[in-house]
Amino acid sequence: MAKPERLIYLALGGAGEIGMNMYLYGYGPEGNERFILVDMGVTFPTMESTPGVDLIMADPAYIQARADRLDGIFITHGHEDHVGALGLLWHRLRAPVYARRFTAALAKGKMERSGQPTDAVRQVDAFPHQVHAGPFRVGFLPIAHSIPESSALVIDTPAGRILHTGDFKADPTPLVGEPFDPAALRAIGEHGVKAMACDSTNVFSPHAGRSEMTLIEPLNALMRDAEGLVVATTFASNVARLRTLAEAGRQAGRRVVVLGRAMNTMLKTAHAAEVLEHFPEVLDPLDMDSVPRRDLLVLATGSQGERRAATAQLAQGRYMGLELKPGDTYLFSSRTIPGNEVPVSRILNLLSERGVKVIDDTDGLYHVSGHANRPDLAAIHELVKPQMLIPMHGEHRHLVAHAALAAERGIPAAIAPNGTVVDLTGDAPVLAEHIDTGRLYLDGTQLIGALDGIVRERIRMALRGHVAVNIIIDERGKPMGGSWVELTGLPDNPKMRDGLAGALEAEIDRVLSRAKRNELADDESLDDLIQRAVSRISNDAVGKKPVCKVMISRLEA
Amino acid sequence: MAKPERLIYLALGGAGEIGMNMYLYGYGPEGNERFILVDMGVTFPTMESTPGVDLIMADPAYIQARADRLDGIFITHGHEDHVGALGLLWHRLRAPVYARRFTAALAKGKMERSGQPTDAVRQVDAFPHQVHAGPFRVGFLPIAHSIPESSALVIDTPAGRILHTGDFKADPTPLVGEPFDPAALRAIGEHGVKAMACDSTNVFSPHAGRSEMTLIEPLNALMRDAEGLVVATTFASNVARLRTLAEAGRQAGRRVVVLGRAMNTMLKTAHAAEVLEHFPEVLDPLDMDSVPRRDLLVLATGSQGERRAATAQLAQGRYMGLELKPGDTYLFSSRTIPGNEVPVSRILNLLSERGVKVIDDTDGLYHVSGHANRPDLAAIHELVKPQMLIPMHGEHRHLVAHAALAAERGIPAAIAPNGTVVDLTGDAPVLAEHIDTGRLYLDGTQLIGALDGIVRERIRMALRGHVAVNIIIDERGKPMGGSWVELTGLPDNPKMRDGLAGALEAEIDRVLSRAKRNELADDESLDDLIQRAVSRISNDAVGKKPVCKVMISRLEA
């Protein structure tokens, strides 16, 4: 007997965490479903858990093993946590990529920089147009977010309709990009929505979200009243904010300068895709000197404290010939993402030391979030009236709180972190099975597995230091000369005559002189003897047990 | 002609940062002042900038070089950022240490654990009692904070009176510890205060601080309504909070268990010093099984996400036989210190995955700060009416904002980050000179300088990986056998036949085979050749330039 068809949801990334979004929908007989993939994003490394890593993304192994059944990749919007991994992982899947115009331009950029074919990315119109992909029909429903053209996906399947919200905020006047449209969502809902997979990021924010429009007056006042140069930083991709800032500057008689590669690229792409109109004319940074400071507004990258961005460089000295002075104003028109507090705070203080007036988002006057708050989530539940809810785009506790919010309206919800296969076929979500998911790291130019141990070794070196030991065994099987120890990142003990290195060499020589013939003949035994000696002496001398690598050279007879 | 006497303030730590407090006051002819030192605190390392470091403290070099002119060390209260470095640094100064009873007990503990004489710590009574120390008379004025017995210092000098607030909050009902006493402060002010050095931590908090007492009702309701076990975590030293929590638990019919060494030690010390009364009887953790979960309240260490504390262990599985279950409640009665967001968030999610209801300070119901907010600072300015203000205990931008607040009342203020000598002799503060300050790290068992480069090497290894290269030069000055490369923490390139190590060895051998006789004879030239080859090949192969150590063994003729 043929297995019955089923409709499933499976997050490979983005559920149980914020970042690296990658969601699968499948339809067909169990074990033989056809799939579509929604978003291929990255998340950013931290010194805490991923030192030296360049980017982090979900491991697509599950869908890679079933790539012949993948009918399309759909990108909801152009943020890095939704499209950043496309160029790096596409060659493992080789399915057509669908996105709207601006997002497609950004996606093609990702493909190009990774040497992948840009024509795999296909530009599509907004809903009611739908792409046919296997058993799925997928439409891009415009929704407001902090980047233009963000879209919810209307996914029609033989088992019913899914609304995948993507990232959104309930903003009727986002200034750039399409507004949040209750009527359109209600219409979708009236058609009948089986399941809604919904953004959970701001479920802990108790008040309804404010509109981008509420920033106009405070920003105008700030630009007008500031006595010197004003620099404003925000996410490069927040094109609406860039325009709000620039327009406030223009009204205050300020010429607008844009500093930072990412921001310039984003504005150019937005212009080309016709999602950005009425942006004031931009002044070339080389001409800044010709304009009085009082008449300048600089838009700069680096709101999250990124080391090489314009903001960090301005805080430390100068960037593109610009140096900040006492009386200048620096506006952070952004929220600090958790984990970035320390670098951002360091920059705020460097600016303060230069006599610059620093304004951040403490009072909420100069920034609004791109995500729906708790009451906004309740509103979309009410508009769409889905049969079931799948909270996504959130840490575990966000998913739990969002499910509880749905329960208030009697909507059943599945708490489904990465790897949880949810069967949506029936009247309520069923947790069907759990598959292994993982993370890949872009480390230099290589993709490595999070569990490969490479980063763990680096963390161990960062905490404990490194000892390299070199010994030579002569033709007769005897240690030749003394051992040689090279320390990296270890404190010394000034009370020891020859220091830690000397003490280690002396102890290793002592151990070798006492070693038995068969121990000296065997690399593994020798390695073990030396490792233990290094650990013991280092711990006694300086209180650390370093990472130790032993290199044994044997002279041939 | 004799130089005139002067009164100076100099922060060695704690001004321009939050943590590692260490302040000097000096009186006498310039270059021959007598000194007192206020507080010797630590700050905590981060993986970001100080991986592997155990503690960070101000370098006392300036006063160490003048230790013969140091007349006393005064500890305002028992928090780690005020007393944590005492045991580690006291032997460099060897001056008598003064503190009130509970603080003295904690200070003696620090001395004892570092093998220093505990009788250097002298217990003193509160103001109006004053200690005579050189030209200074110093009194401990009780003030409210998040640890019992916190004291402002009333420092009388021939040039006038200084009020050094220490850490404080304007709480008239702190429940444990002495209240904020406006009348006492007004009396101090009426006597005439030349300069007030004042806590700036919360200058950006716009609303008046709330009292510990406002927590009683919400906590009582929480303990009463929770269905399962309740675990509450806060700072071990926040003895008042521990009592508020325990009392709420007792009223809800819950037995109180204390988990975590630091918390047990702190409660014991507080009992012994008679600063903690009416604490409910504590249940031995071994007897937890005999009490229904519904009737238990566990107080646990680890509110900041510390890896080995009770909270982290409970989140990961079990601690002292206790395992959390769905329906239990975990309360973070604490604020997350900037920099700790990521580890705390990881724990919140681990708890959420266990089905535990997690309550944090988002709504402000279950925690109040230990520091004075902006209106509270304005109030103490008004009570004390100092002739001048020195904002302290804050990052640079806090100092600037606090100075601006003082300016609103016409009080001149000195923005004096670490190393700034402020002359308080005249009518307004004068920035007299700047001296070099620095930081010491406790790294394992050794104290090292922050600029020694040891931690920088560890950070480089964490970001770039490590390559050890071993070559042998024979008696005739020729390379013998092949080179040997040992990689730590580097990704491999699967497209290379012999991997990165093989490619490096081949390239080093090639470089050596082409090297001139004089290059082979010179260790420095060889090292340089090899370093460059390793950097070039690693970058081409995997996009990383590792830390490289070259070990050249030369066989003797």
Side-chain angles (χ1 to χ4, degrees), chain A residues 245-410:
Chain A
L245 290 163
E247 181 58 23
R250 193 192 63 76
Q251 290 187 25
R254 293 177 186 268
R255 299 295 307 272
V256 178
V257 178
V258 179
L259 292 185
R261 198 176 47 83
M263 213 173 254
N264 278 294
T265 305
M266 192 56 76
L267 287 174
K268 213 168 116 187
T269 309
H271 271 299
E274 295 179 33
V275 294
L276 176 60
E277 292 176 331
H278 310 300
F279 196 87
E281 191 200 349
V282 163
L283 181 73
D284 190 311
L286 297 174
D287 296 332
M288 272 190 287
D289 283 348
S290 65
V291 178
R293 296 178 87 77
R294 174 68 191 81
D295 297 336
L296 276 177
L297 165 66
V298 174
L299 302 178
T301 54
S303 63
Q304 298 303 312
E306 301 93 328
R307 270 167 211 242
R308 294 174 205 159
T311 293
Q313 297 200 39
L314 285 170
Q316 271 154 33
R318 48 170 52 234
Y319 184 74
M320 299 281 285
L322 177 64
E323 193 174 350
L324 299 179
K325 293 185 180 167
D328 291 343
T329 299
Y330 215 111
L331 171 65
F332 281 71
S333 179
S334 56
R335 184 182 78 106
T336 301
I337 292 177
N340 295 339
E341 289 83 358
V342 172
V344 168
S345 170
R346 184 163 49 221
I347 285 173
L348 296 182
N349 284 299
L350 283 170
L351 291 168
S352 178
E353 285 168 28
R354 292 184 172 273
V356 172
K357 185 178 176 192
V358 178
I359 300 173
D360 65 11
D361 186 41
T362 313
D363 300 327
L365 281 176
Y366 305 111
H367 176 64
V368 297
S369 171
H371 294 274
N373 291 353
R374 191 177 178 82
D376 311 322
L377 293 173
I380 199 171
H381 293 178
E382 190 58 39
L383 285 168
V384 176
K385 293 190 170 55
Q387 196 177 345
M388 58 189 90
L389 182 85
I390 310 169
M392 62 170 183
H393 206 284
E395 298 170 4
H396 194 276
R397 62 202 183 102
H398 296 91
L399 308 185
V400 170
H402 197 175
L405 183 66
E408 291 176 12
R409 273 183 179 64

Side-chain angles (χ1 to χ4, degrees), chain B residues 384-462:
Chain B
V384 176
K385 292 190 171 57
Q387 195 177 346
M388 57 189 90
L389 182 85
I390 310 169
M392 63 170 183
H393 207 283
E395 297 171 5
H396 194 276
R397 63 201 182 102
H398 296 92
L399 308 184
V400 170
H402 198 176
L405 182 67
E408 291 175 12
R409 272 184 179 64
I411 303 170
I415 295 165
N418 297 340
T420 312
V421 177
V422 186
D423 189 330
L424 311 174
T425 322
D427 291 337
V430 175
L431 303 186
E433 67 241 37
H434 192 87
I435 62 114
D436 287 335
T437 54
R439 296 173 157 217
L440 297 179
Y441 296 157
L442 179 67
D443 196 33
T445 55
Q446 302 299 308
L447 282 179
I448 61 176
L451 301 179
D452 288 358
I454 293 164
V455 176
R456 193 170 60 236
E457 275 196 312
R458 291 210 296 265
I459 292 174
R460 284 169 52 90
M461 289 194 289

Side-chain angles (χ1 to χ4, degrees), chain B residues 144-452:
Chain B
H145 186 42
S146 49
I147 188 171
E149 254 190 17
S150 204
S151 300
L153 299 181
V154 180
I155 305 171
D156 287 319
T157 82
R161 173 172 280 191
I162 293 164
L163 183 68
H164 181 101
T165 67
D167 293 4
F168 77 100
K169 59 173 177 171
D171 188 344
T173 49
L175 303 187
V176 174
E178 292 117 336
F180 182 80
D181 183 350
L185 288 162
R186 190 178 295 114
I188 300 282
E190 280 165 5
H191 179 282
V193 169
K194 182 165 192 61
M196 178 163 73
C198 187
D199 184 357
S200 309
T201 315
N202 278 6
V203 68
F204 291 117
S205 299
H207 307 296
R210 289 172 300 125
S211 168
E212 183 74 16
M213 194 151 85
T214 63
L215 303 182
I216 292 180
E217 274 192 40
L219 285 174
N220 280 357
L222 183 150
M223 301 283 175
R224 195 177 56 228
D225 299 345
E227 281 161 24
L229 177 77
V230 176
V231 188
T233 180
T234 188
F235 275 106
S237 59
N238 195 336
V239 176
R241 183 66 43 78
L242 292 177
R243 181 162 161 270
T244 313
L245 289 163
E247 181 59 22
R250 193 192 63 77
Q251 289 187 26
R254 294 176 185 269
R255 298 295 306 273
V256 178
V257 178
V258 179
L259 293 185
R261 198 177 47 82
M263 213 172 255
N264 278 295
T265 306
M266 192 57 75
L267 287 174
K268 213 170 118 188
T269 309
H271 272 298
E274 295 178 35
V275 293
L276 175 61
E277 290 176 334
H278 310 300
F279 196 87
E281 192 200 348
V282 163
L283 181 71
D284 190 310
L286 297 174
D287 297 332
M288 271 190 288
D289 282 348
S290 65
V291 178
R293 294 178 88 76
R294 173 69 191 78
D295 297 337
L296 276 178
L297 165 66
V298 174
L299 302 177
T301 53
S303 64
Q304 299 303 312
E306 301 93 329
R307 270 166 211 245
R308 292 176 206 158
T311 293
Q313 297 200 41
L314 284 170
Q316 271 154 34
R318 47 171 51 233
Y319 184 75
M320 300 279 286
L322 178 64
E323 192 174 351
L324 299 179
K325 294 186 179 166
D328 290 343
T329 299
Y330 215 110
L331 170 65
F332 281 71
S333 180
S334 55
R335 184 181 78 106
T336 301
I337 292 177
N340 295 341
E341 288 84 358
V342 173
V344 169
S345 170
R346 186 164 45 222
I347 285 173
L348 297 182
N349 283 299
L350 284 171
L351 292 169
S352 178
E353 285 169 29
R354 292 185 172 272
V356 171
K357 185 177 177 192
V358 178
I359 300 174
D360 64 11
D361 186 41
T362 312
D363 300 327
L365 281 174
Y366 306 111
H367 176 64
V368 297
S369 171
H371 295 273
N373 291 353
R374 192 176 177 83
D376 310 322
L377 293 173
I380 199 172
H381 294 178
E382 191 57 39
L383 285 168
V384 176
K385 292 190 171 57
Q387 195 177 346
M388 57 189 90
L389 182 85
I390 310 169
M392 63 170 183
H393 207 283
E395 297 171 5
H396 194 276
R397 63 201 182 102
H398 296 92
L399 308 184
V400 170
H402 198 176
L405 182 67
E408 291 175 12
R409 272 184 179 64
I411 303 170
I415 295 165
N418 297 340
T420 312
V421 177
V422 186
D423 189 330
L424 311 174
T425 322
D427 291 337
V430 175
L431 303 186
E433 67 241 37
H434 192 87
I435 62 114
D436 287 335
T437 54
R439 296 173 157 217
L440 297 179
Y441 296 157
L442 179 67
D443 196 33
T445 55
Q446 302 299 308
L447 282 179
I448 61 176
L451 301 179
D452 288 358

Side-chain angles (χ1 to χ4, degrees), chain B residues 29-72:
Chain B
E30 185 179 338
N32 203 25
E33 298 89 351
R34 303 294 305 183
F35 292 100
I36 57 170
L37 188 63
V38 178
D39 291 337
M40 296 184 76
V42 294
T43 195
F44 295 95
T46 62
M47 190 69 191
E48 177 87 15
S49 59
T50 45
V53 169
D54 293 278
L55 289 172
I56 303 170
M57 63 212 82
D59 186 343
Y62 179 88
I63 186 62
Q64 190 176 347
R66 295 158 179 81
D68 58 320
R69 290 192 266 134
L70 178 62
D71 292 312

